[in-house]
Amino acid sequence: MSRLKEKAIHFLFFLAAFSTLVILAGIFLMLVLNAIRAFEDVSFRDFFFGTRWNPSAYGEPSYGIVQMIVSTFMTTLGAMLIAVPLGVGAAAYIAEVASPRVREVLKPAIEILAGIPSVVIGFLGIVLVGPLIADAFGLSSGLNALNGSILLAVMALPTIISVSEDAIRAVPTEYKEASYALGASRWTTLVRVTIPAAFQGIAASVVLGVGRAVGETMTVLMATGNATAMPHGFLDSVRTLTATIAIELGEVPHGTAHYYALFAVGAVLFVISLGVNLVAEMITAKHRRLTK
Amino acid sequence: MNLNRCKETLGFGLLRLCAVISVLILGVIIFDIAFKGAEVISWEFLTDYPREGMTKGGILPAIVGTVLVTFITALFSIPLGVCAAIYLSEYTREGKVVRLIRAAIRNLAGVPSIVYGLFGVVLFVRGFGFGASVLSSGLTLGLLTLPWIITTSEEALKAVPKSFREGAMALGATKWQTIRTNVLPYAFPGILTGAILGLSRAAGETAPILFTGVAFYIPKLPTSPFDQFMALPYHLYILSTQHHATEVVKPIAYGTALVLLAVVLAMNLLAIILRYRARKKLKM
């Protein structure tokens, strides 16, 4: 009796863990099955190589996503240009320079920053960052790719800081001691020994930051202006993959080509997120092999 | 030698600046919202319905909606997540299936929140026929929170010393008895900390609820899980982008942002304090 009970409990826990696999497979299947139906009306070529997205145009709707992909990667690139130096610098400070007391304050602060809802950051993009950008560049509106990049940098910063910090702290003390023994200063040791030794972990943090920025919806939806045209610079309004789904899914009739095309956009996002994860895992796996 | 000293001071100064800027960003966010939001916060704002096209009145339905949807999220994701974590930490060695499960959890954590929204529409709103409802939204947010709950719970379980388990086993306890009496009670604060942090993220999410049940305006509080609801994050989004007079409702938007921020930060703070106390206890 009690043997049976133990087995049942074991099986129950297994089912719970296994459900994660089912959910991931379910998301994948759901996207594929719905996305495929979009391609009954839209050719692969028009979807992946077209630069115009205008599904509600009368007579000749167009479903090109190139400009959305450009927008997504542009805002992400801008965000990384800001967040990577800032995040790695802050991580190095927390890991190697700050006193334990300062660290006790900084770490929870970064954690709280990670917890700020994206819609709040998007809101500040509209009321705070937008007017600043408009003033600085003499524009009528500050809702553009630059604004999105700044906000995405804020969103990605905590990920980059905490993962980089772990990587820097994981560098064996022997490395640093050897460097000190050779007469190197603390600064030289940090820049020439510790950070290069932690490079793989830092790279992984950047990849994870990219993942966050690509998948982020509300901040870019609120702060980038959402123009569907191909952007030519950071002061242009852009509309990312995520924002397109968020704007249009609520209004589109179920079962139309437009409806399924939005799932195809979702599938593209899903594939990008899997790719990002794979790269991050390859980097950390390589790192583990090297440190062994 | 002197040049080296200079370089070191400058370098460390630069790193400190990076850290200061990062914390300053948090400071600017909190202070801007707190100061401008505090002007509209009143008892009426917290307990009244929106009035006159949302230009007056309060945000009660949005507060209640966020609490309800987060509650459903918790009911779904915490039991499932903790059970999954128990399996991964207590019942299994690293094999092929476990490696696959772990990979699935890592990938789920990276799936964009809007994709969870799409999944919620297909599975809960249409597939299960729950419609656009607080239940559909809660379950969608539950899926989003699940990888987080599993990861943090597993860490908490792994932090319980092996000897605790061996002690119970040596007295003839079964596996489940061991877990129930000698592992779970000690992992509980850690699990709770992770769960609260995960739920605070869920409470602030907007993208997954956009199409699964949240509504622009509802003149009454939800009375069943199948009702639509208002939520703080969505209300803030509406007021700042979709309203016909965004400048007029800006103070109310700030007030909404402050209430949302207060809810999320209070949960974060609670989690941080819990963890701090649990760590102190373990050290003793």
Side-chain angles (χ1 to χ4, degrees):
Chain A
M1 181 60 210
S2 117
R3 278 284 289 274
L4 200 71
K5 191 177 148 205
E6 285 291 317
K7 275 209 167 128
I9 289 170
H10 185 151
F11 185 65
L12 208 73
F13 288 148
F14 169 73
L15 275 187
F18 194 73
S19 74
T20 56
L21 258 173
V22 176
I23 293 166
L24 188 67
I27 293 176
F28 178 73
L29 264 179
M30 173 280 294
L31 288 171
V32 168
L33 289 179
N34 282 290
I36 279 178
R37 303 190 62 174
F39 294 109
E40 290 169 4
D41 295 285
V42 186
S43 76
F44 264 106
R45 208 188 126 94
D46 289 347
F47 186 77
F48 286 106
F49 297 103
T51 55
R52 265 171 53 93
W53 174 269
N54 194 356
S56 46
Y58 185 74
E60 221 174 302
S62 45
Y63 292 96
I65 61 163
V66 172
Q67 72 293 347
M68 289 179 213
I69 293 182
V70 170
S71 299
T72 292
F73 281 98
M74 214 166 104
T75 44
T76 302
L77 176 74
M80 290 305 124
L81 288 179
I82 303 168
V84 171
L86 202 58
V88 176
Y93 181 78
I94 294 172
E96 292 290 304
V97 188
S99 63
R101 185 164 280 243
V102 173
R103 191 179 301 145
E104 291 274 300
V105 178
L106 286 177
K107 285 195 71 151
I110 299 305
E111 204 174 325
I112 288 175
L113 184 62
I116 305 266
S118 56
V119 69
V120 170
I121 293 177
F123 174 61
L124 290 178
I126 296 175
V127 297
L128 215 63
V129 183
L132 282 178
I133 293 175
D135 278 351
F137 296 96
L139 304 167
S140 59
S141 158
L143 302 183
N144 52 27
L146 177 62
N147 196 336
S149 293
I150 293 172
L151 301 189
L152 287 181
V154 174
M155 299 294 300
L157 196 58
T159 308
I160 294 180
I161 293 179
S162 62
V163 179
S164 289
E165 194 226 330
D166 286 343
I168 293 170
R169 283 169 75 94
V171 173
T173 26
E174 290 91 339
Y175 287 27
K176 290 174 238 169
E177 281 161 3
S179 168
Y180 294 140
L182 291 170
S185 67
R186 276 179 74 201
W187 173 248
T188 312
T189 305
L190 179 65
V191 177
R192 294 286 178 79
V193 178
T194 315
I195 288 183
F199 181 77
Q200 246 113 15
I202 294 172
S205 83
V206 174
V207 175
L208 290 174
V210 167
R212 274 213 85 175
V214 169
E216 180 45 51
T217 307
M218 294 318 286
T219 48
V220 285
L221 173 63
M222 294 166 83
T224 59
N226 298 315
T228 51
M230 175 72 87
H232 297 288
F234 275 94
L235 295 180
D236 278 358
S237 168
V238 296
R239 198 211 255 194
T240 62
L241 294 163
T242 50
T244 302
I245 300 176
I247 292 168
E248 295 179 8
L249 191 70
E251 288 156 13
V252 52
H254 177 246
T256 57
H258 186 182
Y259 178 84
Y260 294 122
L262 291 175
F263 281 84
V265 173
V268 171
L269 270 173
F270 184 74
V271 169
I272 295 176
S273 77
L274 287 192
V276 163
N277 239 305
L278 194 70
V279 173
E281 268 171 39
M282 272 159 54
I283 293 172
T284 42
K286 200 174 163 199
H287 181 57
R288 236 176 267 138
R289 266 208 313 279
L290 285 179
T291 46
K292 253 180 198 170
Chain B
M1 187 63 208
N2 223 342
L3 188 76
N4 267 337
R5 271 320 270 262
C6 261
K7 241 166 85 183
E8 181 159 323
T9 318
L10 200 73
F12 285 155
L14 216 63
L15 296 185
R16 180 176 294 134
L17 188 68
C18 288
V20 168
I21 290 175
S22 303
V23 176
L24 214 61
I25 292 172
L26 177 69
V28 168
I29 294 172
I30 292 177
F31 276 101
D32 188 65
I33 301 276
F35 274 109
K36 293 180 187 155
E39 286 169 21
V40 297
I41 298 287
S42 64
W43 182 245
E44 189 210 345
F45 185 74
L46 298 175
T47 56
D48 200 2
Y49 286 81
R51 289 184 198 289
E52 295 176 34
M54 295 189 190
T55 54
K56 294 221 169 67
I59 55 167
L60 177 70
I63 297 175
V64 173
T66 288
V67 171
L68 279 179
V69 80
T70 311
F71 184 67
I72 293 175
T73 304
L75 278 187
F76 173 61
S77 65
I78 294 178
L80 188 59
V82 172
C83 287
I86 291 176
Y87 180 76
L88 290 174
S89 154
E90 308 296 322
Y91 277 92
T92 187
R93 298 214 177 86
E94 302 299 312
K96 218 175 204 167
V97 180
V98 175
R99 268 213 304 278
L100 261 174
I101 291 174
R102 285 187 196 286
I105 294 168
R106 277 194 304 271
N107 280 300
L108 279 176
V111 171
S113 55
I114 189 88
V115 173
Y116 279 100
L118 290 175
F119 190 51
V121 169
V122 172
L123 188 67
F124 301 127
V125 177
R126 296 187 170 277
F128 290 170
F130 294 159
S133 62
V134 66
L135 179 63
S136 294
S137 286
L139 293 175
T140 308
L141 287 175
L143 291 179
L144 178 95
T145 319
L146 191 61
W148 174 278
I149 304 265
I150 297 176
T151 316
T152 51
S153 301
E154 200 193 338
E155 266 170 39
L157 289 166
K158 287 241 157 98
V160 177
K162 259 216 166 78
S163 52
F164 285 35
R165 298 177 180 86
E166 285 157 0
M169 293 289 218
L171 293 173
T174 63
K175 187 108 193 167
W176 170 236
Q177 284 169 338
T178 305
I179 294 168
R180 213 181 48 206
T181 58
N182 278 27
V183 180
L184 276 182
Y186 301 97
F188 182 72
I191 293 175
L192 195 63
T193 305
I196 293 172
L197 280 176
L199 290 178
S200 84
R201 304 274 156 94
E205 273 289 353
T206 319
I209 61 175
L210 276 178
F211 316 111
T212 53
V214 82
F216 193 85
Y217 173 70
I218 293 179
K220 66 177 188 65
L221 300 179
T223 48
S224 108
F226 298 105
D227 282 350
Q228 281 196 293
F229 66 110
M230 290 176 71
L232 287 168
Y234 186 66
H235 197 60
L236 175 57
Y237 167 65
I238 289 294
L239 290 177
S240 54
T241 64
Q242 308 287 299
H243 198 273
H244 60 86
T246 44
E247 277 305 311
V248 179
V249 294
K250 204 160 138 183
I252 299 184
Y254 260 111
T256 309
L258 176 56
V259 174
L260 174 60
L261 205 58
V263 170
V264 170
L265 290 189
M267 290 170 88
N268 271 277
L269 219 60
L270 179 68
I272 289 172
I273 291 170
L274 274 173
R275 184 174 55 200
Y276 186 73
R277 281 180 46 185
R279 270 196 197 147
K280 249 180 148 175
K281 218 171 169 182
L282 272 182
K283 265 182 198 157
M284 279 157 64

